[in-house]
Amino acid sequence: MPQAQGQRKSVLLIFIFTITILIPARKAGGRSAEEVKACAGHWLEFTCKYPKAEAKYRHVRLDGPNLPQSVESGVRDRWDGKGRISLFHDTQNGALRVRIKELGEGDSGEYVCTFDTGARGRPPSSKVKVGLDDGDCQADFTQRAYVGTPSRIACDYPREVRNATKFLCRDDGVACADISTSSNGTASSSTFSIGEKVTPEHAGVYWCGLATAGGRRAVRKVSLTVEIIRRFKRTAIAGRAFGYWCAYPAGSPADKFICKGPDTWRCPDVAGRFVMRDDETARNISVSLTRVAADDAGTFWCGARSAHPLRASDAFYHKLELTVVPPTSSSLDSPIPPTSSSLDSPSAGALLVTVAAVVVVVLLLLLAIVVAAVRKRHPRGSRQTEDDNVTEEPCYAEIQERQEETGSGSTTVYARADFPAAASDSCSSFHPAVL
């Protein structure tokens, strides 16, 4: 019995000795490591709290698995960039914020934040463990915005994310400044406004992210480009026909559309009475409407659907602001002028050039024949003694453009060359031609 009691005392003494040794060692080595998750190729921001909240630390240092040497900073209350690593010594909140960009497999592991007061002895530290997890990560996205119009960025999140704050920030190369945040943890999608009137200065790299107690992480990169969209205004008469042309550049996606709405984010496709035709040869979209109604007034947009909707947004090419006016007695008696300028349609512009070229060729041929006839009638070597008394009625071509009203109220423009009945014999071989 005494021997058993002695063994128990020995075990108790060993246990007390072990606890006495381990507790100081743990205090000297720092706090236990907290774990945060991040997306490969994106960035992560985690926070190391002060070991002692009331202490004042002069320098901070970061050591990690993929760092060739320690990253140190003596800068306070602002970001200090060190390549892929940025440190923010936040003295107001008693913490060190660490941002790591372009995360790779080698960045997984334990990071140690060390706080130096300048006093002798081993400085205190805290640890954070970083792991890569692609569960919340999304592919990079390219989005178009247009000068003078509203723009928004939509961020999609997994439904499992409930206790995280969703945010959108803009990358400035060192840090990512918040644009907007959303605390709705149950929604799988959040839309953040960039501005009601976008300017070229809004172009840049934006990040959709999640913020938790362990830190902030980026889940999607959005590259925003700002383009100039062509805008014009037209007026249509109620009850009459209306046509709208929209040119698009070469290489545009095959799925074209025309929609109506205040901006590109709230723009359902036109349907019903609207008829759309895509002329791939002339590279233009046309929309026709048989009878214009008062509620057809508004803003129309034409564009093409993205061939890769998960990686790029739709493209918009033109913006039309349509005004509808009531018919008048003069408008009912006269033909309707073209709704779109001929310059709005590449095919119409090509037609005008063709007509003009044909007219010039006809006039040159006519002039050449007249000159040849005169030379034949008055050969060289003979003199005309009654030149001052001879009058010849010259040949001429009159180019006319007129509008004829058809049953549908559309407009036809054509050119015609007419010749007078009293023309000289040199013109007798020509007849009117419609171009």
Side-chain angles (χ1 to χ4, degrees):
M1 189 71 178
Q3 184 178 2
Q5 291 179 350
Q7 290 178 351
R8 291 175 184 174
K9 290 181 179 180
S10 299
V11 171
L12 180 60
L13 290 174
I14 293 173
F15 176 77
I16 294 174
F17 177 78
T18 302
I19 294 299
T20 304
I21 295 297
L22 289 179
I23 290 179
R26 183 169 181 177
K27 288 184 178 180
R31 298 181 179 181
S32 60
E34 299 179 2
E35 186 173 4
V36 294
K37 297 293 185 180
C39 297
H42 294 172
W43 58 263
L44 168 69
E45 183 181 313
F46 61 83
T47 301
C48 296
K49 286 291 187 180
Y50 277 5
K52 295 182 179 181
E54 69 282 359
K56 294 183 178 181
Y57 299 101
R58 298 172 55 185
H59 293 83
V60 291
R61 185 176 76 244
L62 178 71
D63 294 280
N66 201 25
L67 302 178
Q69 58 185 9
S70 300
V71 180
E72 300 183 7
S73 177
V75 178
R76 299 181 181 181
D77 299 318
R78 64 180 177 86
W79 285 104
D80 186 12
K82 309 286 186 180
R84 291 194 308 120
I85 308 295
S86 297
L87 303 181
F88 189 104
H89 186 181
D90 188 356
T91 61
Q92 301 297 321
N93 297 299
L96 171 63
R97 294 164 59 188
V98 179
R99 186 172 188 257
I100 307 175
K101 300 188 298 182
E102 302 171 6
L103 287 162
E105 291 294 338
D107 295 314
S108 299
E110 191 174 79
Y111 289 81
V112 179
C113 302
T114 303
F115 301 85
D116 187 7
T117 61
R120 293 183 177 181
R122 183 175 182 177
S125 63
S126 59
K127 299 177 182 180
V128 173
K129 186 178 181 180
V130 173
L132 297 184
D133 182 8
D134 294 336
D136 301 336
C137 309
Q138 302 172 28
D140 295 350
F141 191 78
T142 299
Q143 180 166 318
R144 296 178 176 89
Y146 305 93
V147 173
T149 67
S151 183
R152 295 167 179 80
I153 291 179
C155 298
D156 295 326
Y157 301 96
R159 295 186 179 275
E160 302 80 43
V161 180
R162 297 181 180 273
N163 298 322
T165 299
K166 305 172 181 67
F167 67 88
L168 178 75
C169 64
R170 182 175 182 178
D171 201 318
D172 62 8
V174 176
C176 198
D178 283 355
I179 301 296
S180 183
T181 59
S182 172
S183 59
N184 187 353
T186 60
S188 61
S189 178
S190 295
T191 301
F192 302 98
S193 174
I194 298 298
E196 292 303 313
K197 290 186 176 181
V198 172
T199 66
E201 287 71 25
H202 285 94
V205 175
Y206 295 78
W207 294 92
C208 300
L210 294 169
T212 61
R216 291 158 36 107
R217 65 182 185 275
V219 297
R220 190 179 208 183
K221 178 182 179 181
V222 180
S223 299
L224 183 70
T225 62
V226 178
E227 304 172 2
I228 297 176
I229 191 170
R230 184 181 179 187
R231 290 181 271 180
F232 51 96
K233 299 180 180 180
R234 293 291 183 269
T235 300
I237 301 174
R240 306 302 296 272
F242 168 69
Y244 168 37
W245 295 87
C246 168
Y248 56 82
S252 298
D255 187 9
K256 311 298 190 307
F257 67 88
I258 290 183
C259 62
K260 180 184 178 184
D263 54 57
T264 58
W265 282 88
R266 296 168 292 175
C267 194
D269 290 358
V270 297
R273 296 176 299 116
F274 291 85
V275 178
M276 188 183 81
R277 184 177 66 87
D278 181 9
D279 187 343
E280 297 182 356
T281 302
R283 294 204 306 270
N284 66 67
I285 311 168
S286 64
V287 166
S288 59
L289 181 60
T290 305
R291 296 181 64 86
V292 177
D295 58 1
D296 290 325
T299 303
F300 293 81
W301 308 77
C302 69
R305 302 291 181 202
S306 172
H308 305 283
L310 297 180
R311 292 184 175 273
S313 62
D314 296 338
F316 290 82
Y317 305 125
H318 289 261
K319 175 185 178 183
L320 167 68
E321 297 177 8
L322 179 65
T323 302
V324 177
V325 298
T328 61
S329 57
S330 59
S331 66
L332 293 176
D333 297 336
S334 60
I336 302 175
T339 306
S340 295
S341 168
S342 60
L343 295 179
D344 293 339
S345 169
S347 59
L351 178 60
L352 289 179
V353 173
T354 303
V355 171
V358 172
V359 171
V360 170
V361 171
V362 171
L363 291 177
L364 290 176
L365 289 175
L366 180 61
L367 179 61
I369 293 175
V370 171
V371 172
V374 171
R375 289 184 177 180
K376 184 177 181 181
R377 182 171 297 183
H378 302 288
R380 295 183 180 180
S382 64
R383 294 178 58 86
Q384 178 67 31
T385 58
E386 298 180 358
D387 286 343
D388 295 337
N389 297 325
V390 175
T391 59
E392 294 184 354
E393 188 170 1
C395 297
Y396 66 91
E398 181 181 1
I399 308 302
Q400 297 178 341
E401 291 188 1
R402 68 180 185 177
Q403 297 178 340
E404 293 186 355
E405 183 176 357
T406 65
S408 62
S410 61
T411 302
T412 302
V413 179
Y414 67 95
R416 181 171 179 171
D418 293 328
F419 299 90
S424 61
D425 295 340
S426 62
C427 304
S428 61
S429 61
F430 295 93
H431 303 280
V434 178
L435 303 179

